[in-house]
Amino acid sequence: MGEDQLDLGFEVEQTAWGKWVEPDRRKAQARKFMDYAGIRQIPSEPWPEGSPEVKRLDPIVAELFPDMETAMAPENADIVDAFICFVGELFIKFAGAEWIEFTWLGREHTFYDHVNPALRYDTLDEDEDTAWALIKDMINYHPEVYDGMFSCMAATLREYTEYHEEKRREEAAPGA
């Protein structure tokens, strides 16, 4: 037991949310997707539109998640979770996001049996997106606007990164 832990003489059962949101679990899952996709590390800034990494990820993501039915299939649960954790790490790093436990609206609106993870972005409006909604929007991207699914996700990431930076600039302004 660590120095900063108190031994109460009994085990405390961790909730489903506590298990899902645990940072080491999420990082391991993000690493699993990165290894699958051949990504060595999360970049120092969001990938620009048309970058080689985004172009490489477009067909990988399209093959994994051609539609919501495939993304929701039980046999794809682990890779979907890995991708969700990977995307979460991007939004945490660049948009100041944090994972929050969103209301569980039933299994048809989440990738998980007992939790409904959502990202709350550190923006002026503190927008929130469930993981399910993010993936659904990515799968239903507009091909006339984006080169592929991950191109759409990367554009969303760049947009929320700008909103986060705007909030930080506003907070740093004199008289803020």
Side-chain angles (χ1 to χ4, degrees):
M1 187 170 322
E3 290 178 23
D4 59 346
Q5 293 179 334
L6 178 63
D7 183 2
L8 300 176
F10 59 90
E11 291 292 318
V12 175
E13 186 176 334
Q14 194 173 26
T15 65
W17 174 248
K19 290 175 186 175
W20 189 90
V21 78
E22 200 279 316
D24 289 339
R25 187 205 76 81
R26 290 184 294 112
K27 287 187 187 327
Q29 284 296 90
R31 171 52 50 202
K32 185 183 295 184
F33 178 79
M34 291 169 65
D35 289 346
Y36 178 87
I39 300 168
R40 282 199 269 268
Q41 63 186 26
I42 290 177
S44 58
E45 58 187 37
W47 289 296
E49 184 176 354
S51 71
E53 295 87 353
V54 171
K55 287 181 179 183
R56 192 174 81 250
L57 285 169
D58 275 332
I60 291 170
V61 172
E63 183 179 325
L64 287 173
F65 319 118
D67 51 44
M68 280 301 282
E69 184 178 333
T70 303
M72 296 288 289
E75 63 270 18
N76 296 325
D78 189 55
I79 193 67
V80 170
D81 181 58
F83 181 70
I84 288 168
C85 290
F86 166 70
V87 167
E89 291 303 310
L90 295 172
F91 280 98
I92 288 166
K93 180 174 182 175
F94 300 119
E98 65 177 332
W99 285 111
I100 60 168
E101 184 175 15
F102 203 80
T103 304
W104 198 77
L105 303 170
R107 186 61 171 86
E108 65 276 7
H109 296 288
T110 181
F111 293 103
Y112 306 96
D113 289 329
H114 304 290
V115 297
N116 191 14
L119 288 167
R120 177 181 293 142
Y121 307 106
D122 184 32
T123 60
L124 292 170
D125 295 334
E126 290 193 339
D127 295 327
E128 297 173 353
D129 279 319
T130 63
W132 184 85
L134 269 175
I135 302 303
K136 180 178 170 248
D137 288 349
M138 179 191 75
I139 289 172
N140 294 328
Y141 81 101
H142 298 287
E144 64 278 2
V145 178
Y146 303 106
D147 292 335
M149 287 182 197
F150 196 78
S151 291
C152 176
M153 183 66 74
T156 302
L157 176 63
R158 289 189 301 272
E159 180 180 1
Y160 276 104
T161 299
E162 180 55 37
Y163 295 154
H164 174 61
E165 290 170 356
E166 178 184 326
K167 179 183 177 187
R168 290 172 51 201
R169 284 190 301 271
E170 198 165 296
E171 290 174 344

